[in-house]
């Protein structure tokens, strides 16, 4: 998932700090389908200049992007507001939101259920730039039918993304450990991955010199665990999305794997964290053999100090736990138009420009993430050998994209600390895995009940 520019690469997947920003705060609105684009005033002035309020990140939507858009749309001026989750929640609650807002596809069910977003289908049906049949499947996480995601209208469009469970590894460290490199075409199982990580880990003087495997623990536990459960044919939620059961065999196996990972000491955890909370610096220092990150990770090696590793690195498919191959996106940042936006027509013009125009082409060519449109996949870089290999692996991996479950009654941000707390306790031996799974179930079901009571 590509979520920032190359000056701050390792912050790209930190949606713990905002992936579900619009889902925070007390909720009293009933469950309903979000507003259609044609259901409210679009705010078109019919001749004068329209000021379009945009809340995004300035390292994603740059001043040059804004100037270019305004030059192509002389009747629109952008008032830019730096993305801020709490401020956005306040604006949405007050009924005076921005016109165009940064949003994550995965986790969008909450905002959609609260009626905070606009159904973009009427715009998509008329657009000559953004077409439904050109949207890659990751955009389906923005869809909502009034009860669940994955079907119904589109309530947002992704700007770029990655299949975040894929693996990047250092071939030189494999050679030093006399271990065969990972296949770039066939996935390893999670059990095989842990076994390889044990062999790659180097400890000396009570300290870890080389980590075998980095799971980006500080960024997200919910998404990879959800993926593991689905790969085994299990479910994260009940059919009505109101409860979870993390005591099922599939859930227990996933939690057990993380406990085994933590006890093995082969990678950073909450009990052995990295100073900056991200794998990249350790991986680039050649002190981590494998890092679980999406296609975007390759952007780190195209310039600067990263070029020194171009001959060492390779990308491998997402690992599997069970019989079902699944390689999901953990976030999928893009944009939505709030239901109460004053200038929806103008916001859609920006959507077309930013998601399909020059900024989208530039993002794809940079290699800092996958485009959201099928027609732009050919823009991905293949000049360097490692880029060509990553491109080939990604083309095959796209056949296994699938959606993660999304309940409108609980956020990813709420799941992660619960998982972190009880898995860490199990690693320390304070809880059995069975007890940890029950505690996770109980804690999350309380959150789900609160969310259900708030939304209705």
């Amino acid at each position: 998932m590509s979520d920032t520019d190359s000056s701050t690469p390792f912050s790209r997947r930190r949606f713990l700090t905002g992936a579900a920003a619009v889902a925070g705060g007390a909720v009293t609105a009933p469950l309903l389908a979000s507003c259609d684009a044609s259901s409210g005033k679009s705010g078109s002035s019919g001749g004068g200049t329209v000021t379009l309020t945009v809340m995004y990140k300035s390292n994603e939507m740059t001043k040059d992007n804004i100037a270019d858009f305004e030059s192509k749309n002389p009747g629109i001026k952008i008032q830019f507001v730096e993305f801020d989750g709490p401020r956005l929640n306040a604006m949405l609650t007050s009924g005076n939101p921005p016109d165009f807002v940064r949003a994550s596809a995965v986790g969008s069910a909450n905002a959609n259920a609260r009626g905070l977003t606009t159904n973009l289908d009427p715009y998509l049906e008329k657009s000559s730039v953004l077409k439904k049949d050109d949207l890659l499947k990751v955009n389906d996480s923005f869809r909502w039918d009034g009860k669940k995601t994955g079907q119904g209208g589109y309530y947002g469009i992704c700007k770029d993304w990655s299949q975040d469970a894929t693996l990047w590894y250092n071939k030189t460290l494999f050679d030093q450990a006399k271990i065969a490199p990972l296949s770039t075409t066939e996935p390893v199982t999670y059990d095989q991955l842990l076994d390889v990580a044990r062999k790659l880990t180097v400890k000396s003087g009570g300290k870890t010199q080389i980590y075998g495997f980095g799971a980006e623990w500080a960024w997200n536990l919910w998404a990879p665990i959800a993926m593991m459960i689905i790969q085994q044919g299990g479910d994260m939620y009940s059919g009505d999305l109101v409860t979870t059961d993390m005591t099922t065999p599939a859930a227990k196996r996933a939690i057990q794997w993380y406990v085994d990972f933590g006890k093995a000491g082969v990678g950073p955890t909450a009990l052995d964290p990295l100073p900056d909370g991200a794998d990249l610096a350790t991986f680039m220092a050649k002190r981590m053999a494998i890092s679980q990150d999406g296609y975007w990770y390759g952007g780190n090696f195209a310039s600067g100090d990263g070029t020194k590793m171009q001959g060492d690195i390779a990308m491998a498919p997402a690992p599997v736990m069970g019989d079902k191959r699944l390689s999901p996106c953990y976030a999928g940042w893009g944009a939505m138009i709030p239901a109460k936006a004053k200038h929806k027509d103008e916001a859609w013009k920006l959507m077309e420009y930013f998601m399909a125009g020059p900024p989208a082409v530039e993002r794809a060519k940079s290699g800092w993430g996958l485009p959201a449109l099928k027609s732009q996949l050919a823009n991905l870089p293949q000049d360097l050998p490692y880029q060509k290999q990553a491109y080939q692996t990604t083309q095959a991996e796209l056949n296994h994209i699938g959606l993660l479950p999304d309940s409108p009654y609980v956020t990813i941000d709420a799941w992660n600390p619960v998982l972190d707390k009880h898995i860490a306790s199990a690693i320390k031996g304070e809880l059995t895995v069975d007890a940890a799974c029950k505690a996770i179930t109980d804690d999350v079901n309380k959150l789900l009940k609160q969310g259900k009571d708030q939304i209705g």
Side-chain angles (χ1 to χ4, degrees), residues 28-51:
T28 57
L31 180 64
L32 45 85
S34 302
C35 296
D36 289 341
S38 58
S39 66
K41 297 180 180 179
S42 71
S44 297
S45 63
T49 298
V50 168
T51 299

Side-chain angles (χ1 to χ4, degrees), residues 4 68 82 109 222 232 239 256 270 316-317 332 353 371 394 397 404 411 419:
T4 67
D68 185 45
E82 191 69 30
W222 172 83
Q232 297 173 75
Q256 181 70 65
Y353 170 81
T394 295
E397 199 74 354
L404 293 177
T411 66
L419 290 166

